[in-house]
Amino acid sequence: MKHKLRHPIFNIIKDITSKSQKEAFVIGGFVRDLILGRPSKDIDIVVLGSGIELAVEVARKIGAININIFKRFGTAMLKYGDMEIEFVGARKESYSKDSRRPFVEKGTLEDDQNRRDFTINSLAICLSEKNFGKLIDPFNGINDIEKKIIITPLDPSITFSDDPLRMMRAIRFASQLNFEIYAPTFRAIKYNRKRIKIVSRERITDEFNKILMSKKPSRGLKLLDKSGLLELIFPELFNMKGIEIINGFGHKDNFIHTIQVVDNISLKSNNLWLRWAALLHDIGKPRTKKITTDGWTFHAHEFVGYHMVPKIFKRMRLPLNEKMKYTAKLVRLHLRPISLVEEIVTDSAIRRLLFDAGDDTDDLMMLCEADITSKIEKKKKQFLNNFKNVRAKLKEVEERDKLRNWQPPISGDIIMNTFNMKPSRDVGIIKKSIREAILNGIIPNNYEQAFEFMIKEGKKLGHNLNSD
Ligand code: ATP
Ligand code: MG
């Protein structure tokens, strides 16, 4: 069977190799995605001969400015349009017990296909003039793509023990492509799960994020749990599992609830950090769980969860920047819109949420709606309708008071100039009382009235107006 290779790079490689001894193949993920009809962002070219030499020739032909050569690994990478193209000589690999970095030697195309993780990732397409477009599929990967099966080409236990990252990759592909992991392959993951310890956190997190970004992340999250990997890489999430019944009171399984919330949010948004917020919104529950005479409580779990976020991000090597702050903030605020559901809520409570959530108010509302996992349709409808009303109230107050991303109308400098004060605690107290007065609706959100209010507050604290 011949395959259509549309990207212009393949013809360029064909022309160059037809004039030399080299033979080249496109291999791995690109071929898999081509057959699946999925878009790819990277192309891997394997060469019988020097990968670097071929890359240099290709770069010259297409006038690529950016070519990165990694002599030590015998690879070269260049960008062509928005495609990243990697060239490498065909290789054979062997592993030692304590590292997932193999010992590498020159090999045949067959060796190179043998070292691939799954049959669906072992397909190659020939780029030589004679056989252009011909599929080379020693493990019948085509069949496994059709059957939607993830299976290793060689003994799965050796495959996973050699490079335990492949266990994460198997689950990621199952989640991303909606494939099944072949039972003996999955058993080998269970058996080798503890080997994950030799994989760097960054690589684990890359795969974990790809699971989160799949259409239905609960698929991958459940597989992580079933394989025993979840407990090892994400104990906080693992601790959410299970139901406890005391004195006839039970509570829902917070892990099952959480993965449903992640699925729900994934139907609405591709924002990775919003998905993280969904994953972590109840992460404080196990630590706050208490049985009372009325049943289970998880008092202040949103605050406990909020404080757990930085530690989790740090361990997972996730960015410790505004992405983390955003995620933590949504965890902290995730119950607030519920308190606004009541028939009569004060404008002040609405203003406070707009003030605290700022630009992320819409994302917070999306999270709250995703948090509804009731199986009873009538209840679900009612909750959604409640939030619709909250959204309407937020919109109304926002339009009136313009409080989102609110900047105080009176700055610390104005306070200090007016009263001839040095930076001190009182400046903060005055600033805070102005803010509270605006949020409570005592004064409107404008400069004149805030200034007047400031004078009163300053005087109350015993400060006199600056006489200059
Ligand atoms: P994606 O690009 O969607 O992340 P991919 O399968 O293309 O998926 P890459 O990391 O781009 O993943 O790797 C390209 C190819 O290299 C794979 O298809 C596979 O053949 C091989 N490969 C990647 N990582 C491994 C690994 N850990 N063990 C064995 N083969 C691997
Ligand atoms: Mg790829």
Side-chain angles (χ1 to χ4, degrees), residues 29-30 32-33 42-44:
F30 181 88
R32 177 199 66 221
D33 290 341
D42 52 355
I43 298 177
D44 290 296

PDB file of all heavy atoms in Angstrom, residues 29-30 32-33 42-44, ligand 2:
ATOM      1  N   GLY A  29       5.289   8.733  15.121  1.00  0.00           N
ATOM      2  CA  GLY A  29       4.040   9.463  15.365  1.00  0.00           C
ATOM      3  C   GLY A  29       3.426  10.091  14.120  1.00  0.00           C
ATOM      4  O   GLY A  29       2.207  10.069  13.945  1.00  0.00           O
ATOM      5  N   PHE A  30       4.296  10.616  13.230  1.00  0.00           N
ATOM      6  CA  PHE A  30       3.748  11.276  12.039  1.00  0.00           C
ATOM      7  C   PHE A  30       2.973  10.283  11.184  1.00  0.00           C
ATOM      8  O   PHE A  30       1.885  10.586  10.678  1.00  0.00           O
ATOM      9  CB  PHE A  30       4.867  11.937  11.220  1.00  0.00           C
ATOM     10  CG  PHE A  30       4.360  12.648   9.999  1.00  0.00           C
ATOM     11  CD1 PHE A  30       3.947  13.972  10.071  1.00  0.00           C
ATOM     12  CD2 PHE A  30       4.232  11.979   8.789  1.00  0.00           C
ATOM     13  CE1 PHE A  30       3.436  14.622   8.955  1.00  0.00           C
ATOM     14  CE2 PHE A  30       3.717  12.621   7.660  1.00  0.00           C
ATOM     15  CZ  PHE A  30       3.323  13.943   7.753  1.00  0.00           C
ATOM     16  N   ARG A  32       1.652   7.385  12.146  1.00  0.00           N
ATOM     17  CA  ARG A  32       0.448   7.003  12.896  1.00  0.00           C
ATOM     18  C   ARG A  32      -0.661   8.044  12.686  1.00  0.00           C
ATOM     19  O   ARG A  32      -1.797   7.710  12.352  1.00  0.00           O
ATOM     20  CB  ARG A  32       0.812   6.907  14.389  1.00  0.00           C
ATOM     21  CG  ARG A  32      -0.349   6.581  15.306  1.00  0.00           C
ATOM     22  CD  ARG A  32       0.001   6.982  16.745  1.00  0.00           C
ATOM     23  NE  ARG A  32       0.141   8.430  16.857  1.00  0.00           N
ATOM     24  CZ  ARG A  32       1.089   9.044  17.571  1.00  0.00           C
ATOM     25  NH1 ARG A  32       1.997   8.360  18.230  1.00  0.00           N
ATOM     26  NH2 ARG A  32       1.127  10.365  17.622  1.00  0.00           N
ATOM     27  N   ASP A  33      -0.300   9.324  12.866  1.00  0.00           N
ATOM     28  CA  ASP A  33      -1.304  10.384  12.757  1.00  0.00           C
ATOM     29  C   ASP A  33      -1.815  10.558  11.329  1.00  0.00           C
ATOM     30  O   ASP A  33      -2.979  10.896  11.116  1.00  0.00           O
ATOM     31  CB  ASP A  33      -0.741  11.707  13.299  1.00  0.00           C
ATOM     32  CG  ASP A  33      -0.573  11.666  14.813  1.00  0.00           C
ATOM     33  OD1 ASP A  33      -1.211  10.796  15.456  1.00  0.00           O
ATOM     34  OD2 ASP A  33       0.183  12.483  15.368  1.00  0.00           O
ATOM     35  N   ASP A  42       5.130  17.484  14.438  1.00  0.00           N
ATOM     36  CA  ASP A  42       6.524  17.079  14.248  1.00  0.00           C
ATOM     37  C   ASP A  42       6.653  15.882  13.309  1.00  0.00           C
ATOM     38  O   ASP A  42       5.755  15.056  13.198  1.00  0.00           O
ATOM     39  CB  ASP A  42       7.243  16.840  15.584  1.00  0.00           C
ATOM     40  CG  ASP A  42       6.474  15.889  16.495  1.00  0.00           C
ATOM     41  OD1 ASP A  42       5.345  15.504  16.133  1.00  0.00           O
ATOM     42  OD2 ASP A  42       7.014  15.519  17.545  1.00  0.00           O
ATOM     43  N   ILE A  43       7.796  15.882  12.615  1.00  0.00           N
ATOM     44  CA  ILE A  43       8.087  14.804  11.659  1.00  0.00           C
ATOM     45  C   ILE A  43       9.425  14.187  12.060  1.00  0.00           C
ATOM     46  O   ILE A  43      10.387  14.918  12.287  1.00  0.00           O
ATOM     47  CB  ILE A  43       8.196  15.367  10.216  1.00  0.00           C
ATOM     48  CG1 ILE A  43       6.868  16.000   9.769  1.00  0.00           C
ATOM     49  CG2 ILE A  43       8.633  14.274   9.249  1.00  0.00           C
ATOM     50  CD1 ILE A  43       6.920  16.638   8.377  1.00  0.00           C
ATOM     51  N   ASP A  44       9.468  12.865  12.160  1.00  0.00           N
ATOM     52  CA  ASP A  44      10.733  12.197  12.445  1.00  0.00           C
ATOM     53  C   ASP A  44      11.214  11.462  11.199  1.00  0.00           C
ATOM     54  O   ASP A  44      10.479  10.659  10.624  1.00  0.00           O
ATOM     55  CB  ASP A  44      10.558  11.185  13.593  1.00  0.00           C
ATOM     56  CG  ASP A  44      10.321  11.909  14.909  1.00  0.00           C
ATOM     57  OD1 ASP A  44      11.243  12.622  15.338  1.00  0.00           O
ATOM     58  OD2 ASP A  44       9.222  11.785  15.468  1.00  0.00           O
TER      59      ASP A  44
HETATM   60 MG    MG B   2       5.590  13.274  17.490  1.00  0.00          MG
END
